[in-house]
Amino acid sequence: QIMEIEGSFQQYISDTEACLSGTLALGGTTVFSSYVLPPLISAFSDRFPRVQVRILEAHTAALERELREGELDFVMENCAFDPAVYDSIAYRAELLLAVPASFAINEAAAAYRLTAEELQAGRDAPGVPLALFKDEPFLLLKEGNDTRQRADRLCAKAGFRPGARLLLDQQLTAYNLACYGLGVTFVSDTLACSVPPDERLHFYLLDSPHARRAVSLVYKRSRFITRPMREFLQLLSIDGE
């Protein structure tokens, strides 16, 4: 706690010396570190080039620990952190079903499917009956992950238990393996709309509250809010995030 107070005081002195310098430490899992944070960091660095930005890519448990200990200023995550300890700014994201285009089931689901280009262009489609895919091999994340928990609920509501061909740690890995035809997987619209369109996949919207979740920028409530942190929060409000 003393070290955290000392660091906050040093940052306070820097903030009051008419030039915005110091550091901004951000954390996120692979998808957020690769596709959501980079454009925000670029915009922030253009405005405040003297602030050193640091980014940590890690699993949720490690990110929460670093945030709690003051090593990170912000974490971008889709898991709920303890509201008694952390504040957050949230925006909405959705899970989609990504299916290899080579799978025959796409013909039976033709009324619901979207190509990657159609998805990124904002084309709408009705939510697919997930039970259509009950016999397909699934690429699932390991237990304890928010995406896995939602996938289990979605499939249970559709009346089946998905057959897991592979259990993986990262959503991005599941996405890339789906591109190579290894199975069906659940991906966020953030990921699907950030990567280059890939004709090897078809996408399906899921009409369920389990497919909708809040992605949050989380920060520790009790810590001193440095000026770089305040400016980053202001950037989010300007950019509509």
Side-chain angles (χ1 to χ4, degrees):
Q1 289 177 335
I2 292 173
M3 292 176 65
E4 185 175 344
I5 292 170
E6 180 182 5
S8 297
F9 178 73
Q10 290 173 347
Q11 185 65 59
Y12 173 79
I13 296 299
S14 176
D15 289 352
T16 58
E17 287 181 343
C19 61
L20 181 56
S21 59
T23 62
L24 181 70
L26 307 169
T29 52
T30 300
V31 170
F32 298 118
S33 298
S34 300
Y35 299 108
V36 180
L37 288 175
L40 297 175
I41 293 171
S42 177
F44 181 84
S45 295
D46 285 345
R47 298 182 191 186
F48 308 106
R50 300 189 63 175
V51 176
Q52 180 182 3
V53 179
R54 180 169 63 87
I55 186 167
L56 173 66
E57 178 186 336
H59 294 295
T60 301
L63 293 170
E64 196 277 334
R65 183 181 65 250
E66 296 292 301
L67 187 63
R68 184 178 67 251
E69 295 177 355
E71 296 299 318
L72 291 174
D73 297 318
F74 296 110
V75 164
M76 184 162 281
E77 250 297 355
N78 52 35
C79 295
F81 284 24
D82 186 353
V85 180
Y86 303 101
D87 283 327
S88 63
I89 298 174
Y91 65 95
R92 181 171 158 175
E94 295 197 19
L95 282 184
L96 311 169
L97 193 69
V99 180
S102 60
F103 280 22
I105 191 63
N106 288 297
E107 293 305 314
Y112 307 95
R113 74 187 183 205
L114 294 170
T115 66
E117 289 186 347
E118 289 172 338
L119 179 69
Q120 294 186 10
R123 180 175 171 182
D124 199 10
V128 69
L130 192 56
L132 288 174
F133 302 91
K134 62 184 179 64
D135 296 324
E136 303 300 321
F138 275 76
L139 307 172
L140 299 174
L141 300 190
K142 294 177 181 177
E143 291 186 2
N145 184 283
D146 179 74
T147 298
R148 171 61 186 276
Q149 292 171 351
R150 291 175 182 275
D152 287 343
R153 294 187 195 117
L154 286 161
C155 293
K157 188 175 181 180
F160 72 98
R161 184 174 181 178
R165 184 172 187 179
L166 289 171
L167 295 176
L168 305 161
D169 288 309
Q170 296 287 345
Q171 190 182 129
L172 183 60
T173 306
Y175 174 90
N176 286 326
L177 290 173
C179 288
Y180 283 94
L182 291 178
V184 174
T185 194
F186 294 91
V187 300
S188 68
D189 57 352
T190 300
L191 171 59
C193 292
S194 297
V195 296
D198 196 316
E199 62 183 13
R200 294 174 296 176
L201 287 178
H202 290 315
F203 294 93
Y204 297 87
L205 304 183
L206 301 165
D207 187 14
S208 168
H210 298 309
R212 295 186 286 273
R213 61 186 180 184
V215 174
S216 300
L217 186 76
V218 186
Y219 55 101
K220 191 175 179 181
R221 177 173 293 176
S222 63
R223 70 160 297 161
F224 172 71
I225 304 298
T226 67
R227 190 175 166 204
M229 290 177 67
R230 291 199 304 272
E231 294 294 348
F232 190 74
L233 289 171
Q234 177 65 18
L235 174 69
L236 293 185
S237 66
I238 291 173
D239 289 349
E241 297 289 341

